[in-house]
Amino acid sequence: VWDILNGSNVMEHHPSTNSVKLFMKKLMLKKYTRASSADKAGEERYGLCFTSTLSLHLTEEQSVTLCALSPSLALIVHTRQIALAEATVIWDNSFCQNGELPVEEVTWGQLGQVLSSWFKMHTGRGLSDNNVRCLGRKLLRSELVSDKDTVSWKVFAKENQTDRAFSFWTGCTAPTI
């Protein structure tokens, strides 16, 4: 069950660009009742469906209803869920089209490009080929890594690494001391 506050607003028409814009600055999820167990909080995927009805005044009044689906979202209630939720959102927004079921496996080449893009977004520069190979060896637990090797979401985001008490993604995003 969802309770969303400030979920509607008026569109602004911009004649110079022949476009409309809508800003939802104070959209807020006030109440949410989780359907499944809380330990899957970072894994559950959500999307918001924005709908709008436009009234057109051409020769006669007509209305058109438009829908847009948001990128994948994850809801968390505790900071310990951030890493899993972030991994889920990055995975889904990189490998799934709107409305599709989650992709369970991708190639290391695809995931390596996503990780480099993510790193660039946060630091201003992408990963070097050597950096990507190093991450591939850690994730795939092999010295020989090919761009065609497959990686599952579980191995990327959830399963603990060999001899470690954390997943690959948690190890990538954990603060260093």
Side-chain angles (χ1 to χ4, degrees), residues 2-177:
W2 297 78
D3 189 3
I4 296 179
L5 297 179
N6 307 315
S8 64
N9 206 343
V10 177
M11 287 188 187
E12 298 174 8
H13 180 249
H14 298 274
S16 61
T17 59
N18 199 23
S19 63
V20 292
K21 292 184 181 177
L22 172 67
F23 295 97
M24 309 280 286
K25 293 181 182 178
K26 296 182 180 184
L27 184 66
M28 184 186 314
L29 180 63
K30 182 180 178 185
K31 178 184 175 186
Y32 171 68
T33 304
R34 190 171 301 282
S36 63
S37 72
D39 62 338
K40 294 192 178 239
E43 297 176 52
E44 292 178 334
R45 291 129 165 122
Y46 299 93
L48 297 177
C49 181
F50 296 96
T51 59
S52 178
T53 302
L54 301 175
S55 295
L56 306 174
H57 302 283
L58 302 171
T59 55
E60 58 185 68
E61 188 169 325
Q62 298 173 328
S63 64
V64 177
T65 300
L66 304 172
C67 296
L69 188 61
S70 73
S72 184
L73 304 169
L75 298 175
I76 61 170
V77 295
H78 195 279
T79 55
R80 70 174 177 260
Q81 299 166 332
I82 290 173
L84 183 57
E86 186 175 44
T88 300
V89 168
I90 288 169
W91 184 276
D92 285 358
N93 291 340
S94 299
F95 305 120
C96 300
Q97 299 297 318
N98 281 343
E100 284 186 359
L101 292 174
V103 173
E104 291 302 318
E105 286 188 345
V106 297
T107 66
W108 168 245
Q110 292 171 303
L111 185 55
Q113 288 176 344
V114 167
L115 293 174
S116 186
S117 296
W118 184 87
F119 190 80
K120 184 176 185 176
M121 181 178 67
H122 289 280
T123 66
R125 69 174 184 85
L127 297 171
S128 69
D129 290 343
N130 192 41
N131 297 146
V132 172
R133 276 192 301 277
C134 179
L135 289 174
R137 288 192 299 267
K138 293 282 186 190
L139 178 62
L140 297 168
R141 302 170 185 116
S142 173
E143 288 300 313
L144 301 173
V145 175
S146 163
D147 282 352
K148 294 179 182 179
D149 289 337
T150 58
V151 180
S152 71
W153 173 84
K154 283 185 177 181
V155 169
F156 168 67
K158 194 163 181 180
E159 291 178 358
N160 287 346
Q161 292 183 300
T162 307
D163 301 328
R164 302 280 187 252
F166 51 84
S167 71
F168 171 82
W169 182 251
T170 302
C172 285
T173 59
T176 55
I177 297 175

